[in-house]
Amino acid sequence: MSYDVHLLDRGRIEADANFVLDGSVAATAGNQNPDLRYEEFLVWNLVIDHPEATVLFDTGSHPEAGDGYWPAPLYQAFAHVDAADHDLEADLNAAGFELDDIDAVVMSHLHLDHAGGLYHFDGTDVPIYVHEREIEFAYRSAKTDSGSIAYFAPDFDHDLNWTVVEGDRQLVPGVELLHLPGHTPGLLGARIDRDGETLLVVGDEAYWQENYEGQSMAASLLWDNQAWKESLAYVQDLERRTDADVLLGHDMAMLERFEDGW
């Protein structure tokens, strides 16, 4: 079965590399004031233009992220500096799609750099796929004092047609959703098979290539370190068995690697 997978460039987050590469810069006796690394992180979405459905994978940041919509402490740590230039509808249009073309949305997870475009589907019947553990943790985090600060209720607390995923499941022929807990309890990746080739959408299981090779992200980016290691071993085994291309969560190299789609 032939179909196209398009990578949407949704802009850049700027942040300290220590969040992604745990201890990448640390003071030592010989260098008590090392230079920090302030880096760019790619924000992307996918459009899977399948014969049975046009699927949007993630929705990016809210366009007003830098204009007071995101809580100030979060924006100070992870500044989506060009969010205003990357409204979901405009980026879809640039790739040749309309919002009305989207038949289903898959949310890898509900952090605010992934769920900020869900408002476009408020009040529609477009199914929004989310793992059961993710939606539970997101609401707990956003509505109570426990959980994670990376969930922002105004992103996802809408009239949405939630479709809850309980584990790995086929979405359409050739596209399987994979439960990859670690970064969050309900992180979803995907295995996409087409014409004898495989794409593994690893997403925020590994922000950068170094993470995929085993260097841990900082504790602030990991809900469960052991679960993260197990999910990493799982996708690495899939890659070996299928000779898959791998799409990582925020690595700038992904833009060039998949600039012409897949």
Side-chain angles (χ1 to χ4, degrees):
M1 180 181 293
S2 295
Y3 54 94
D4 295 324
V5 178
H6 303 268
L7 184 77
L8 303 186
D9 182 356
R10 302 302 314 285
R12 307 288 178 271
I13 285 175
E14 296 180 355
D16 191 326
N18 274 306
F19 286 116
V20 176
L21 304 179
D22 190 22
S24 64
V25 178
T28 64
N31 184 7
Q32 297 181 15
N33 295 288
D35 292 332
L36 295 175
R37 292 175 54 191
Y38 197 67
E39 302 282 358
E40 283 191 328
F41 299 79
L42 176 65
V43 180
W44 55 262
N45 299 158
L46 287 183
V47 177
I48 305 169
D49 195 12
H50 193 279
E52 294 195 9
T54 300
V55 179
L56 176 66
F57 194 97
D58 280 340
T59 69
S61 302
H62 194 284
E64 296 177 1
D67 295 325
Y69 177 81
W70 278 14
L74 282 171
Y75 193 84
Q76 284 296 308
F78 300 96
H80 194 153
V81 294
D82 56 356
D85 299 325
H86 285 280
D87 176 73
L88 174 60
E89 185 171 15
D91 285 347
L92 280 170
N93 293 164
F97 296 94
E98 303 288 339
L99 274 171
D100 289 344
D101 294 332
I102 303 302
D103 298 307
V105 177
V106 175
M107 293 306 304
S108 68
H109 59 306
L110 293 172
H111 281 176
L112 73 177
D113 57 325
H114 295 260
L118 280 172
Y119 69 93
H120 287 289
F121 303 96
D122 189 358
T124 74
D125 61 358
V126 175
I128 311 295
Y129 289 85
V130 65
H131 195 274
E132 60 178 347
R133 297 188 67 192
E134 187 66 18
I135 195 167
E136 291 167 356
F137 192 66
Y139 270 96
R140 171 186 165 187
S141 297
K143 299 289 189 176
T144 75
D145 292 332
S146 63
S148 166
I149 63 170
Y151 296 98
F152 190 44
D155 280 341
F156 54 82
D157 195 12
H158 299 294
D159 177 16
L160 298 168
N161 182 18
W162 295 112
T163 301
V164 176
V165 177
E166 297 180 0
D168 296 355
R169 64 166 290 173
Q170 180 177 280
L171 185 64
V172 291
V175 180
E176 181 183 10
L177 302 181
L178 308 175
H179 182 210
L180 304 174
H183 175 56
T184 72
L187 186 75
L188 287 175
R191 171 178 174 170
I192 303 175
D193 293 300
R194 181 197 65 191
D195 298 335
E197 297 180 318
T198 298
L199 173 65
L200 287 180
V201 183
V202 171
D204 282 11
E205 165 64 18
Y207 271 43
W208 284 357
Q209 183 67 33
E210 292 93 332
N211 304 132
Y212 190 70
E213 294 170 356
Q215 183 168 352
S216 177
M217 297 181 284
S220 59
L221 292 184
L222 288 179
W223 164 76
D224 185 317
N225 187 61
Q226 184 58 38
W228 176 78
K229 291 179 181 178
E230 292 170 0
S231 293
L232 184 61
Y234 173 56
V235 293
Q236 288 174 334
D237 180 61
L238 272 179
E239 181 197 9
R240 284 190 293 269
R241 290 191 286 109
T242 62
D243 192 28
D245 295 316
V246 177
L247 178 56
L248 306 177
H250 292 282
D251 195 317
M252 289 295 298
M254 299 299 103
L255 189 60
E256 182 175 354
R257 189 177 303 174
F258 296 100
E259 65 179 342
D260 296 323
W262 182 85

